Amino acid sequence: MWKNSSLRCLLALAVLCLRSLMYSQEIGSPGDPQNLKCVTHNLHKMLCTWDVSSRGKHGQTDFCYTTNDLTPQVCFKTKERRVEIPIPESSITVTIKSSGTAFATREFVIHQKDISFVPVTPHILSLMPDFPTSTLNLKWSDNGSVFPYGLDALWQIQILRKEAMEVVKQVSYYSKLTHEDVILSWNWTSDMPLECTSHYVKIRCYINATQFVGPKDWSDWSPAEVIPGKDTEPGGSGVFPLDPVVAVGSDLMFCCVHEEDQRITNMTYGSKSYTMMQLSRRSHAIRVLNASVSNTSGTNVVCRLENGLEGSVVFVGYAPDSPQNLSCETPNFLIIKCTWEPGRPSGLYGERRTKYSLFERTSGKNVSCEVNEVSRDHVCGFPVLPDQKTYDFILGVSNPIGQAQSSLLVDITQRVHPKAPEKLTVTGSNSTSIQLRWFINGSFAETRLLCQIEISSSHSERKLHNVSIPGRKSSTYTAQLNALHPDTKYQLRVRCSSADHFWRWSDWSRGVEQTTSEAPPARGPDIWRERSPSGESLIVFWKPLSLSETHGKIVSHEVSCYMLERLLERKVVSEPSNSTEIKLGKSDCVISVVARNHAGSSPPSRITSVELPSDNVTTDQAVAMGNGINISWDSYPNMTCGYIVKWCHSSGSEPCSVDWQKFPSNTTNAVIKSALFKPGVRYNFSLYGCKSMGYQLLKNITGYMKELPPKTAPNFIVEETSSDSILVKWEDIPIEECRGFLKGYLLSFAKGEKDALKPRLSESGNPELKVNNITDLTKKSMKILDLQGKTSYQLELQAYTAGGLSPPNSLYVVTKEDSVGLIIAILIPVAVVVLLGVLASIFCYRKREWIKETFYPEIPNPENSKALQFQRNICEGNKTLKTLEMNPCTPNSVEVVETQSTAPKIEDTEMMSPAAETIVPEDGSDSEMENHVVVSYCPPIIEEEISNPPTDQPGGSSQVVYIDIQSMYQPQIKPEEEPEIDLVTTAGYKPQMQLSINALKIEGHSPVEEELDKTAGYRPQANTNTWNMGTPDSPGSVESNNENASFGSPCSINSRQFLLPPKDDEDSPKPINTGWSFTHFFQNKPND
Amino acid sequence: MAAAGSPSAALRRRDLCSRGIRLAGKMRADVVDLLDAYVSLPCSLCLPRGWEHRWDLGSCAGMLEEQREQLGEADAGLGRALAAVLLQVSAFAYHLEELLRLESRGIPGEEGDEEEDGPPPPPRLSHFERKLRGLGVLRELAQWAVRSVRDLRQLAKPSPATGAWPPAHGCSFCPA
């Protein structure tokens, strides 16, 4: 607590002391000089000012001051109210006595802390504009000589723009005072071209005098220096900046300065119009952000005025990249060529292009480089300096936007890249060597050259021959090439490099050609001989030497025949023949053959004509290798001088040309290759063994270079067919069509009908396909078993070799029918039918009374009706009438009503029958009659009358006959045959089964048979001959014209045929009304 | 040299005129193509202030050459087209000089050279002004080619007073 109160007392005391120190202590009465203020500008002297009342303003003032009691008071008179006095170390007592009034005296005590420090206002020495870069350079003096050394000075610079002097930038600048007047400089780049409008600059400072205890303050601002814009110049106009070169991505400002009375229309950068900002009455500006690369002729900035045009061209590009892969080499020790990759193109051309210079640090020599910007061929030459091997290069790159550099330290002796040798010539040659000479320009005296000679010819691979040669100054060099082939055209060229430190080969020189001269052939030709078929002469064959062995053009071969060193015959055979015949008779000799060219003869090749006898010569098969034929044989120990495989090439009609190949005696296997071998062609080889005495045929071999599928399918036939087997026979395929060794046959078969579009069996994917592989080539037939009877089979036969399957040959065969099965198939249904017939007969027989009661009740016999007889006669008299002509019968029937008692009833019944009402055609036309059911009345016909003449039984039966006119089942019955039908009697029983048979075979009925029919036992009450098998409305019924046609009795089994007409005659017209039979079924029942 | 009034001179003149017409036609076509490839600026304002002095072949060629140099090797197509036009201008100038000699007329350039010390050095122009001037030269060349064709056709017509010049029509190569 105590502590707090004492602390507060101390603090209050300190505040009071400070207040008394901060302000000059005024002693005196009011109205005297007052408000004494002292300010220092240089820390040495201070300027004190005071105020006085109006009364003392014009009087003289006595001013005295003393720093302490020991120093005497300094007094002087002044008319101004400001004095400059030294700054006291601690305090100063000032006495001011104003004489204007009654000697008003005032005493002030000024402490150091009461003195303000305000530096002198800075003075701008110069303000220089750089218009192309829009940069201002400000220079001023720091006035440091008046201040102690080492004070920190802070400068504040203000940039103002436009007439209104808007502050656009204020920056601080720091410096240290050195007790000397130093001129300071500061640059500022404006974002707006300086021409656009006026720019002003002001400056002030603050000096941080730490020892000075009084208040410190900024100096006043200096007077503004101005850089006037073009808009202040009378007549000044244009677009600014003028033709600038700027970096890509820069933000640009362009202004258009024009006359005051001109109105600006628009401003464009490139093709785009920009919004304008007004800078002054005569200046407008646009701002372009992130400028992109301009085209080669620059981007136009155009200011369109009402009556004019101003513009500028801006070039936007990149600063140069640092050169990459700088490399220097000398082609001749006279000049050093440096190359580099420039990197990204600057986009600047013409006078703004990127410029290169090569500076060598050791020598201090600088070379500017002419670089083709478009072809981008960046090469710069630097002269080789005497006695200098190591060069320290700096490649400088610059353009208006920037610069870069790249350096390289290089030992030029290790970077030798000679130019291509010149003047390459052949100075001499023979059959195996060539001398060359060439020239290299350059000073290679202190180095060795490594030169490479490329040798190439048409029949050998390219070869390189290196030669190391001591270098000379711009000299020719020679080299000799040995071990060349005679009579060969060589192409030669040379390139060189430094042998001591290989760096790079020169380019190849121009090529030269030289042909070596001829030499005798290197060896004798490869020979073989064969006895002629007659054995009287010997044919000698030789193979042409290879190009590398001929050593020149072969002109002839000399064939000699020696017997015990005695020349028997000599023949000279000119090229291109490769065989000759020597008449030797049965004797033998040693054949010698030499090849000759213009330079001489080859060593002789010899062969004996002796052919040793051989027995058991077998023929084997060789293996096709695809590219050759593999032949193998057993080792024959007594064949001391090897083996010969001989074969013959046959090409078309020409005689076959003999070829052979020799093998050493330890060989038992060889792949014979020849460009003449063709796939699928059979070749025959003969293996000969060589003994000292002569040659012996060991075996024959056939083979293919490559086996192919047989060209054609084997021809085959079906020799025999049964219900379950087929015997197939085939023929051999001709050898030339086999195209390989035949391995077997594939016989495929499956069920199938002949169909042109059907695929091959083997490709059909038929699951029932069966394939028989016949590998026994001697077998020429095969029986296929387990087949189905009466079935069509497709057979295919293919032959195959190791090369594949031949195309198939196809046949279709139908096996024979299986007779047992057929018989069974027929017998079973017949037996069933017979059985059913028997059962039906038994049933009918047993129930005959009931059937009769039900279906055939007794009905009156209309036999006695004369009308009916008349009617019958009428009808009989008109046997030839068609059904359509039945109308004349109707009036007669009317007449029957008047004369016959029974007839009208029958007639009414018939007329009233529903069938009659509905079926009679309305128009009565012939055609329609054919298509409609016609049930018309006809005088009753009594079977008994038919069987017995009407005269015999006038009171015949009373049977009613319904006539149905149809011909469905009677088309065979012609009108002229109808009389015979009438003759058919219906007496006695007649099985219904006979109906159709009778109807169909009616023509064949013999009188005996008819008689039998008449006399047969029980017969239903129907004339079966008149029963229609079809429907009553069948059109055929018209044609039948059968006046006796009648429905069978419903109880008759014949009725089955009405209900179920035969199906097999589908061509017949279909019944139109299937319900009729039931209608008529009961119509004949009385009172139904 | 044949006299201006002789029949061979008339033939020669006709030949020179017809070839000159073809040359001027080709030159105009090429210049029009070049104008399409050049900067696109409003035609009526294409000439900067103070550029209304009299044209001649030399100044045309000089300005075209200046443009070609400005482009450097960068724009090979435009550079080649400018070079081709330059060649045609000089060929046409030579052609006209031949014609003037045939007519025993003085060549304007040569006369001028005798009289004057040479044109004052051109003021340093900005890129924009040079572009404008190049464009103006091309336009002037195109118009001048048209006028030349017309004049040469007039000249090629056989007239009673052989060798009489048609009215100048302000053609730049005609003597004042």
Side-chain angles (χ1 to χ4, degrees):
Chain A
M1 191 67 187
W2 180 86
K3 277 183 181 174
N4 279 344
S5 59
S6 62
L7 202 64
R8 283 178 185 168
C9 288
L10 281 173
L11 199 62
L13 194 63
V15 169
L16 285 172
C17 289
L18 276 171
R19 284 181 62 87
S20 63
L21 287 171
M22 279 177 67
Y23 302 103
S24 57
Q25 192 178 0
E26 294 180 4
I27 306 163
S29 60
D32 294 340
Q34 51 188 324
N35 294 336
L36 178 68
K37 288 180 183 173
C38 293
V39 174
T40 178
H41 294 305
N42 52 20
L43 300 177
H44 295 294
K45 291 188 173 178
M46 59 182 182
L47 188 67
C48 294
T49 57
W50 62 93
D51 295 336
V52 290
S53 62
S54 57
R55 287 170 294 171
K57 274 184 180 175
H58 303 289
Q60 207 171 36
T61 303
D62 292 330
F63 189 92
C64 300
Y65 67 91
T66 178
T67 53
N68 52 43
D69 296 338
L70 300 174
T71 54
Q73 191 176 39
V74 178
C75 290
F76 52 86
K77 291 184 184 297
T78 177
K79 287 186 176 179
E80 296 179 344
R81 287 179 299 280
R82 49 182 287 174
V83 293
E84 193 174 55
I85 56 174
I87 294 176
E89 287 183 1
S90 60
S91 65
I92 188 168
T93 305
V94 173
T95 307
I96 301 171
K97 187 159 73 180
S98 175
S99 60
T101 59
F103 297 102
T105 301
R106 192 77 179 262
E107 190 177 290
F108 300 92
V109 177
I110 300 170
H111 295 90
Q112 201 180 32
K113 292 177 182 176
D114 299 333
I115 305 164
S116 298
F117 175 44
V118 177
V120 179
T121 303
H123 173 66
I124 293 173
L125 294 176
S126 72
L127 177 65
M128 298 298 292
D130 183 45
F131 289 106
T133 58
S134 301
T135 302
L136 288 175
N137 177 252
L138 178 69
K139 284 195 170 87
W140 72 97
S141 171
D142 68 352
N143 213 15
S145 58
V146 300
F147 294 107
Y149 180 87
L151 288 183
D152 293 328
L154 197 61
W155 307 87
Q156 213 165 44
I157 305 164
Q158 216 171 45
I159 314 289
L160 306 97
R161 193 182 275 166
K162 300 185 188 173
E163 293 167 352
M165 294 187 71
E166 296 169 3
V167 176
V168 290
K169 188 82 178 177
Q170 181 165 309
V171 291
S172 295
Y173 182 92
Y174 168 81
S175 72
K176 211 168 199 56
L177 302 181
T178 57
H179 198 56
E180 286 179 0
D181 288 344
V182 174
I183 294 174
L184 299 174
S185 177
W186 176 76
N187 287 333
W188 176 72
T189 302
S190 170
D191 60 341
M192 177 186 288
L194 300 177
E195 299 95 331
C196 292
T197 188
S198 298
H199 286 73
Y200 305 88
V201 179
K202 293 193 292 188
I203 187 168
R204 65 176 181 173
C205 76
Y206 176 89
I207 292 170
N208 189 19
T210 51
Q211 301 298 320
F212 185 76
V213 295
K216 298 179 278 287
D217 202 353
W218 284 94
S219 74
D220 289 337
W221 285 105
S222 71
E225 282 288 318
V226 62
I227 301 297
K230 289 280 181 187
D231 56 345
T232 61
E233 282 182 19
S237 63
V239 171
F240 303 100
L242 200 58
D243 306 334
V245 183
V246 296
V248 171
S250 304
D251 295 340
L252 305 172
M253 184 175 263
F254 297 94
C255 64
C256 177
V257 178
H258 50 90
E259 295 295 336
E260 197 167 347
D261 56 347
Q262 279 188 316
R263 202 176 70 80
I264 191 163
T265 309
N266 72 340
M267 284 185 76
T268 55
Y269 175 85
S271 56
K272 191 178 172 189
S273 185
Y274 281 77
T275 308
M276 293 181 289
M277 303 173 278
Q278 184 167 11
L279 303 178
S280 69
R281 283 173 297 175
R282 290 182 54 198
S283 181
H284 289 77
I286 59 169
R287 186 179 289 277
V288 177
L289 302 175
N290 195 15
S292 54
V293 181
S294 55
N295 58 26
T296 53
S297 59
T299 305
N300 301 322
V301 185
V302 181
C303 171
R304 288 182 176 80
L305 303 164
E306 267 185 339
N307 57 347
L309 182 75
E310 300 288 352
S312 176
V313 181
V314 60
F315 298 91
V316 187
Y318 293 98
D321 262 356
S322 290
Q324 304 292 313
N325 302 331
L326 175 63
S327 170
C328 296
E329 60 190 23
T330 180
N332 49 16
F333 284 102
L334 299 173
I335 194 164
I336 300 167
K337 280 190 172 178
C338 294
T339 58
W340 63 92
E341 291 166 16
R344 179 178 57 191
S346 68
L348 302 173
Y349 305 94
E351 63 191 29
R352 296 160 298 280
R353 71 185 183 280
T354 303
K355 297 181 176 78
Y356 298 88
S357 65
L358 200 57
F359 174 68
E360 204 283 307
R361 269 197 275 215
T362 311
S363 62
K365 197 173 171 60
N366 197 7
V367 174
S368 74
C369 310
E370 284 301 318
V371 170
N372 187 330
E373 189 77 25
V374 175
S375 66
R376 300 175 68 75
D377 186 17
H378 291 87
V379 183
C380 195
F382 191 89
V384 173
L385 303 172
D387 304 324
Q388 186 173 343
K389 287 185 177 178
T390 305
Y391 292 79
D392 189 0
F393 288 117
I394 295 174
L395 178 68
V397 196
S398 66
N399 70 10
I401 298 172
Q403 54 192 15
Q405 67 177 38
S406 184
S407 61
L408 177 73
L409 183 67
V410 63
D411 180 354
I412 206 66
T413 60
Q414 297 178 10
R415 294 285 184 274
V416 182
H417 183 195
K419 286 184 178 175
E422 304 166 43
K423 303 172 189 172
L424 177 66
T425 51
V426 175
T427 55
S429 78
N430 57 29
S431 62
T432 56
S433 70
I434 294 174
Q435 289 86 42
L436 288 173
R437 177 193 289 166
W438 63 91
F439 174 81
I440 298 178
N441 186 17
S443 182
F444 297 98
E446 294 178 8
T447 185
R448 282 184 72 82
L449 287 174
L450 175 67
C451 291
Q452 199 170 53
I453 305 166
E454 186 192 68
I455 311 152
S456 50
S457 66
S458 56
H459 55 269
S460 67
E461 286 186 356
R462 187 181 77 115
K463 286 179 187 168
L464 296 171
H465 181 73
N466 288 343
V467 193
S468 179
I469 315 164
R472 292 190 292 271
K473 187 172 182 180
S474 296
S475 177
T476 56
Y477 302 87
T478 59
Q480 175 160 331
L481 302 169
N482 296 318
L484 302 177
H485 278 291
D487 190 40
T488 304
K489 184 191 267 187
Y490 287 99
Q491 289 85 37
L492 306 152
R493 55 181 187 167
V494 185
R495 64 179 178 179
C496 295
S497 72
S498 168
D500 300 330
H501 298 96
F502 178 82
W503 168 236
R504 278 174 188 163
W505 287 110
S506 71
D507 288 338
W508 286 105
S509 70
R510 178 184 57 83
V512 292
E513 280 188 354
Q514 178 67 29
T515 304
T516 50
S517 54
E518 289 190 12
R523 65 173 182 89
D526 190 3
I527 55 176
W528 181 244
R529 83 289 173 276
E530 266 190 3
R531 283 275 174 186
S532 63
S534 64
E536 290 296 316
S537 60
L538 193 70
I539 304 167
V540 182
F541 303 94
W542 58 89
K543 289 183 184 176
L545 294 171
S546 67
L547 276 176
S548 61
E549 292 166 338
T550 55
H551 292 181
K553 183 177 167 51
I554 299 294
V555 291
S556 63
H557 286 85
E558 189 179 285
V559 183
S560 309
C561 184
Y562 293 93
M563 183 180 282
L564 300 172
E565 305 297 327
R566 185 168 61 86
L567 178 67
L568 291 181
E569 191 173 349
R570 171 173 287 172
K571 286 179 88 171
V572 175
V573 183
S574 302
E575 276 287 282
S577 191
N578 62 349
S579 66
T580 188
E581 190 171 350
I582 296 174
K583 302 285 182 193
L584 201 61
K586 297 292 182 189
S587 59
D588 286 301
C589 70
V590 174
I591 310 293
S592 163
V593 180
V594 293
R596 278 185 173 176
N597 64 13
H598 292 294
S601 300
S602 70
S605 298
R606 292 193 174 87
I607 191 168
T608 177
S609 67
V610 176
E611 185 130 4
L612 302 172
S614 52
D615 49 350
N616 297 330
V617 176
T618 58
T619 300
D620 293 349
Q621 287 186 352
V623 179
M625 303 294 286
N627 57 349
I629 299 164
N630 190 357
I631 290 171
S632 57
W633 59 88
D634 298 331
S635 179
Y636 297 88
N638 49 359
M639 300 302 158
T640 53
C641 49
Y643 300 94
I644 289 100
V645 175
K646 186 218 82 176
W647 67 95
C648 200
H649 287 295
S650 176
S651 55
S653 57
E654 293 175 11
C656 79
S657 61
V658 173
D659 202 354
W660 65 94
Q661 205 167 333
K662 293 181 177 174
F663 300 97
S665 25
N666 58 354
T667 313
T668 56
N669 173 289
V671 176
I672 309 293
K673 293 181 180 177
S674 168
L676 300 174
F677 285 156
K678 293 174 187 168
V681 176
R682 179 175 287 196
Y683 295 97
N684 297 313
F685 299 88
S686 300
L687 177 70
Y688 289 90
C690 173
K691 290 181 178 175
S692 56
M693 297 297 294
Y695 291 90
Q696 185 179 25
L697 176 64
L698 300 177
K699 67 172 179 177
N700 292 317
I701 303 155
T702 58
Y704 293 86
M705 184 188 93
K706 185 181 178 184
E707 290 193 60
L708 298 178
K711 199 174 180 180
T712 56
N715 287 324
F716 76 118
I717 53 166
V718 175
E719 185 80 5
E720 190 181 303
T721 311
S722 70
S723 62
D724 65 344
S725 69
I726 299 168
L727 178 63
V728 175
K729 273 193 167 183
W730 59 88
E731 298 168 358
D732 281 335
I733 303 174
I735 290 288
E736 61 272 14
E737 293 186 351
C738 279
R739 304 200 297 177
F741 295 116
L742 209 58
K743 299 277 185 193
Y745 301 94
L746 285 184
L747 179 61
S748 317
F749 63 95
K751 285 181 188 173
E753 299 288 339
K754 192 168 186 178
D755 185 355
L757 297 174
K758 233 175 183 179
R760 290 175 178 176
L761 255 185
S762 47
E763 297 166 3
S764 64
N766 191 336
E768 294 181 8
L769 175 70
K770 289 178 182 171
V771 180
N772 287 322
N773 186 6
I774 302 138
T775 53
D776 183 2
L777 296 175
T778 58
K779 201 172 171 182
K780 296 296 172 201
S781 67
M782 185 178 182
K783 192 165 195 174
I784 305 169
L785 300 170
D786 299 331
L787 303 179
Q788 291 180 8
K790 205 179 181 182
T791 306
S792 175
Y793 281 92
Q794 184 184 0
L795 309 180
E796 269 187 11
L797 184 62
Q798 289 172 284
Y800 63 92
T801 65
L805 282 166
S806 73
N809 234 346
S810 288
L811 275 182
Y812 290 88
V813 185
V814 180
T815 50
K816 289 184 176 170
E817 202 168 358
D818 187 357
S819 54
V820 177
L822 185 66
I823 290 165
I824 291 169
I826 293 169
L827 280 181
I828 289 172
V830 168
V832 170
V833 169
V834 168
L835 186 63
L836 284 174
V838 170
L839 288 173
S841 301
I842 293 168
F843 176 79
C844 289
Y845 178 73
R846 287 199 169 182
K847 299 289 181 182
R848 59 187 180 278
E849 290 302 323
W850 175 78
I851 289 169
K852 189 176 178 184
E853 280 298 315
T854 306
F855 297 108
Y856 293 93
E858 286 292 331
I859 47 177
N861 189 347
E863 251 183 4
N864 298 327
S865 172
K866 288 179 182 177
L868 286 176
Q869 284 173 5
F870 170 76
Q871 190 70 21
R872 185 181 57 87
N873 292 336
I874 293 293
C875 292
E876 282 177 356
N878 292 316
K879 280 175 187 172
T880 56
L881 287 176
K882 304 288 180 187
T883 309
L884 292 171
E885 295 165 355
M886 287 177 70
N887 286 340
C889 289
T890 309
N892 291 344
S893 66
V894 174
E895 197 179 316
V896 168
V897 174
E898 292 173 352
T899 56
Q900 294 286 333
S901 59
T902 54
K905 188 184 176 184
I906 296 165
E907 187 178 319
D908 287 344
T909 308
E910 185 64 24
M911 294 301 284
M912 292 302 287
S913 71
E917 280 176 7
T918 54
I919 296 171
V920 172
E922 287 177 9
D923 55 0
S925 67
D926 289 355
S927 61
E928 293 207 1
M929 285 293 281
E930 290 177 0
N931 293 323
H932 288 82
V933 173
V934 178
V935 179
S936 56
Y937 170 75
C938 199
I941 297 163
I942 301 151
E943 286 188 38
E944 283 76 7
E945 280 183 357
I946 298 167
S947 56
N948 305 307
T951 49
D952 296 341
Q953 293 181 356
S957 71
S958 62
Q959 210 171 23
V960 173
V961 178
Y962 292 88
I963 298 168
D964 175 28
I965 302 163
Q966 60 141 348
S967 62
M968 185 179 284
Y969 302 112
Q970 296 175 340
Q972 303 92 335
I973 303 168
K974 294 174 181 174
E976 55 266 29
E977 294 165 350
E978 284 174 7
E980 293 178 22
I981 298 166
D982 290 342
L983 293 172
V984 175
T985 59
T986 58
Y989 170 71
K990 197 171 182 181
Q992 291 85 346
M993 284 296 288
Q994 289 177 357
L995 172 69
S996 59
I997 296 167
N998 290 341
L1000 293 170
K1001 296 183 178 177
I1002 193 111
E1003 283 178 297
H1005 269 212
S1006 63
V1008 178
E1009 286 171 337
E1010 290 170 10
E1011 195 59 31
L1012 279 172
D1013 287 341
K1014 289 176 189 171
T1015 57
Y1018 167 78
R1019 281 178 69 91
Q1021 305 155 333
N1023 182 352
T1024 56
N1025 288 332
T1026 64
W1027 290 354
N1028 291 314
M1029 298 172 76
T1031 55
D1033 49 359
S1034 168
S1037 59
V1038 176
E1039 289 178 1
S1040 68
N1041 195 24
N1042 190 347
E1043 62 191 18
N1044 289 330
S1046 63
F1047 291 130
S1049 167
C1051 71
S1052 166
I1053 57 169
N1054 282 351
S1055 63
R1056 182 177 63 90
Q1057 289 170 316
F1058 291 105
L1059 294 170
L1060 302 170
K1063 278 185 180 178
D1064 54 355
D1065 194 357
E1066 291 177 1
D1067 293 330
S1068 302
K1070 301 278 184 195
I1072 294 169
N1073 184 359
T1074 54
W1076 67 273
S1077 56
F1078 293 100
T1079 311
H1080 294 275
F1081 196 74
F1082 300 102
Q1083 264 183 349
N1084 56 351
K1085 284 185 179 178
N1087 306 321
D1088 265 359
Chain B
M1 184 192 247
S6 69
S8 62
L11 279 174
R12 169 93 174 126
R13 186 181 63 192
R14 195 174 303 162
D15 178 52
L16 281 172
C17 285
S18 60
R19 280 194 285 153
I21 288 165
R22 284 200 299 275
L23 198 56
K26 173 79 170 72
M27 191 168 69
R28 184 182 180 279
D30 286 0
V31 169
V32 168
D33 288 347
L34 197 55
L35 274 170
D36 291 341
Y38 213 68
V39 287
S40 70
L41 284 167
C43 169
S44 60
L45 303 170
C46 58
L47 294 180
R49 288 181 297 277
W51 188 249
E52 294 84 11
H53 70 78
R54 186 166 157 247
W55 292 80
D56 58 42
L57 288 175
S59 61
C60 288
M63 280 178 282
L64 287 175
E65 183 65 29
E66 182 187 80
Q67 284 295 311
R68 203 164 67 92
E69 281 174 6
Q70 274 301 313
L71 286 169
E73 301 150 338
D75 199 332
L78 194 56
R80 272 198 296 271
L82 282 171
V85 167
L86 271 178
L87 202 62
Q88 288 175 18
V89 167
S90 56
F92 190 61
Y94 176 78
H95 203 80
L96 294 179
E97 284 170 10
E98 283 291 300
L99 197 57
L100 286 167
R101 281 196 194 96
L102 182 72
E103 300 294 337
S104 306
R105 303 272 179 153
I107 298 166
E110 289 173 358
E111 286 169 2
D113 287 347
E114 287 166 8
E115 290 171 2
E116 296 172 11
D117 296 332
R124 171 75 181 165
L125 297 176
S126 70
H127 280 294
F128 191 72
E129 285 169 324
R130 275 184 273 179
K131 277 189 175 183
L132 288 175
R133 187 170 65 167
L135 184 69
V137 166
L138 287 176
R139 291 187 186 284
E140 190 68 19
L141 261 178
Q143 291 170 15
W144 179 66
V146 172
R147 289 202 305 271
S148 300
V149 168
R150 192 180 56 198
D151 292 348
L152 286 169
R153 283 207 179 111
Q154 288 276 332
L155 198 60
K157 283 180 187 168
S159 61
T162 311
W165 285 88
H169 299 296
C171 81
S172 52
F173 64 84
C174 293

